[in-house]
Amino acid sequence: MDDNPQTPHGGQLTVLITGAAGFIGAATALRLLERGEEVIGLDNLNSYYDPALKMARLARIERAGGQWQFVQRNLEDQSAIAALFADCKPKAVVHLAAQAGVRYSIENPAAYIQSNLDGFGNVLEGCRHQGVKHLVYASSSSVYGGNRQMPFSEQHAVNHPVSLYAATKKANELMAHTYSHLYGLPATGLRFFTVYGPWGRPDMAPILFAKAILSGRPIKVFNQGQMQRDFTYIDDIVEGVIRCLDKPATADPNFDPLNPNPATAAVPHRLFNIGNSQPTPLLRFIKVLEKALGKEANKDFQPMQPGDVVATAADTSALEAWVGFQPDTSLDIGLEHFAQWAKDYPELIGLK
């Protein structure tokens, strides 16, 4: 098998995707299978949200065909993850599994410690011992925390997280950098900005809103609607993941330890934002969704929630310079696709 992970054709690359039954994981698996790669999908199919949606995503992958294998295991199970790496010997890993959700981290912090820290440590160890050529892992825009300097740049410090979820994502970046430093593991961290689209997560605003609007119930609009998000369409996220996967991280030859660049390093570790670079007021998002669904929302205005931030906005110039790509799907087009999916699959958004 070719040791070079840059094989954008022909099934020469064995890729392990963690969180393969998740929103981004399933979409990434489909893209890699379409271009002929061998894909091993890992997920524990937990009940954080209805596993029926996860099973529907997996069934969609099965129908697509290709060199696909699914394994159900827990990331926190050190021996099971070590055995999986030894068995499948992936050349590249796309690590997307995590305990997601900012608000849930306030209610159940232990789940985040176990999955996002212990689990990620097991993935790093698997990469180290099996000689993985490139690890691409999910970080989050939440690492910017209380930062008010917009748009968010990888050059900014991320020292003030406002949720445990954000803290675990920053910890992941530090852990990956350390493995790059100690073991030469090429690793790329991707800070995703508010991902939406068909087959999305039911704990996020698009599905929560769509379900409520279609059933005639009020939607909860936090901070009295005075919020902005850099909503990023799923296809753009996947394109960014694939392009970064195909270009393994390298050490920055211009890295200056006397004036360190937070986005790069003297070792093969890189960080990139993946966002649409068009922060949208929450009330405009709702208006566009209403139009796409053909039904007006009944809005229940609520105060700001603990652990939340007022606004996010991505500077993606580093991503564009590295892989020649910048997300650009408009909110109108993205929500039109999402609304059609929601109406086609009402059972997957919790409607009968």
Side-chain angles (χ1 to χ4, degrees):
M1 184 176 292
D2 189 352
D3 283 343
N4 185 352
Q6 298 187 66
T7 53
H9 50 75
Q12 299 176 32
L13 180 62
T14 301
V15 185
L16 171 64
I17 299 179
T18 71
F23 179 25
I24 302 173
T28 302
L30 283 168
R31 281 286 304 277
L32 287 171
L33 289 167
E34 285 171 3
R35 75 178 199 180
E37 312 297 0
E38 178 184 4
V39 180
I40 297 109
L42 166 70
D43 205 289
N44 67 356
L45 300 176
N46 68 25
S47 57
Y48 169 65
Y49 60 80
D50 189 353
L53 176 54
K54 301 175 184 180
M55 297 305 295
R57 295 188 189 118
L58 290 176
R60 187 170 175 239
I61 298 172
E62 290 283 353
R63 290 193 299 271
Q67 299 181 78
W68 162 254
Q69 177 187 355
F70 177 72
V71 179
Q72 183 175 352
R73 293 186 188 176
N74 285 317
L75 279 181
E76 308 94 286
D77 189 333
Q78 183 178 5
S79 60
I81 297 305
L84 175 63
F85 271 85
D87 289 343
C88 71
K89 293 180 170 54
K91 291 299 179 185
V93 174
V94 180
H95 176 63
L96 300 170
Q99 179 57 60
V102 168
R103 291 155 194 161
Y104 186 61
S105 69
I106 298 171
E107 304 167 17
N108 190 3
Y112 292 76
I113 302 297
Q114 293 161 5
S115 179
N116 299 7
L117 299 182
D118 293 343
F120 188 53
N122 292 335
V123 170
L124 288 170
E125 278 290 278
C127 292
R128 167 196 173 192
H129 289 293
Q130 296 303 323
V132 166
K133 303 300 179 182
H134 192 200
L135 166 66
V136 174
Y137 65 95
S139 185
S140 168
S141 62
S142 68
V143 299
Y144 292 104
N147 185 4
R148 295 295 179 90
Q149 186 178 353
M150 298 284 177
F152 294 151
S153 166
E154 300 92 341
Q155 308 296 324
H156 296 165
V158 289
N159 298 323
H160 301 95
V162 297
S163 70
L164 181 62
Y165 171 71
T168 64
K169 287 301 183 178
K170 178 181 177 179
N172 288 170
E173 296 178 358
L174 297 174
M175 293 163 72
H177 178 277
T178 303
Y179 270 68
S180 295
H181 174 74
L182 293 174
Y183 310 113
L185 172 66
T188 302
L190 303 178
R191 294 171 174 172
F192 299 141
F193 280 69
T194 316
V195 190
Y196 76 100
W199 303 91
R201 273 179 28 209
D203 61 322
M204 294 185 70
I207 288 185
L208 291 173
F209 287 172
K211 179 181 177 181
I213 292 170
L214 291 172
S215 61
R217 294 184 292 105
I219 62 173
K220 292 182 179 180
V221 183
F222 293 105
N223 199 35
Q224 311 301 323
Q226 301 305 304
M227 301 179 77
Q228 286 191 341
R229 288 292 181 270
D230 202 339
F231 294 101
T232 311
Y233 190 60
I234 181 62
D235 290 359
D236 288 337
I237 291 287
V238 173
E239 182 68 24
V241 170
I242 299 292
R243 292 202 187 200
C244 286
L245 178 66
D246 289 341
K247 188 173 181 179
T250 58
D252 180 359
N254 299 313
F255 186 80
D256 180 1
L258 296 178
N259 185 26
N261 179 350
T264 66
V267 298
H269 181 258
R270 302 267 174 160
L271 292 169
F272 298 106
N273 293 332
I274 302 186
N276 203 43
S277 303
Q278 296 182 27
T280 301
L282 181 57
L283 293 178
R284 179 176 184 272
F285 177 88
I286 293 170
K287 184 176 181 180
V288 175
L289 180 59
E290 289 172 326
K291 179 181 178 183
L293 291 171
K295 193 171 182 180
E296 189 172 346
N298 177 15
K299 304 172 189 68
D300 175 15
F301 290 96
Q302 300 267 331
M304 189 77 162
Q305 291 196 114
D308 218 340
V309 297
V310 174
T312 64
D315 177 348
T316 58
S317 56
L319 177 72
E320 186 172 14
W322 185 248
V323 295
F325 173 70
Q326 183 176 21
D328 62 359
T329 301
S330 73
L331 188 67
D332 296 77
I333 292 174
L335 282 181
E336 183 178 333
H337 292 319
F338 165 75
Q340 188 59 57
W341 171 81
K343 289 185 282 190
D344 288 344
Y345 296 92
E347 70 281 3
L348 294 183
I349 66 169
L351 296 175
K352 301 300 181 183

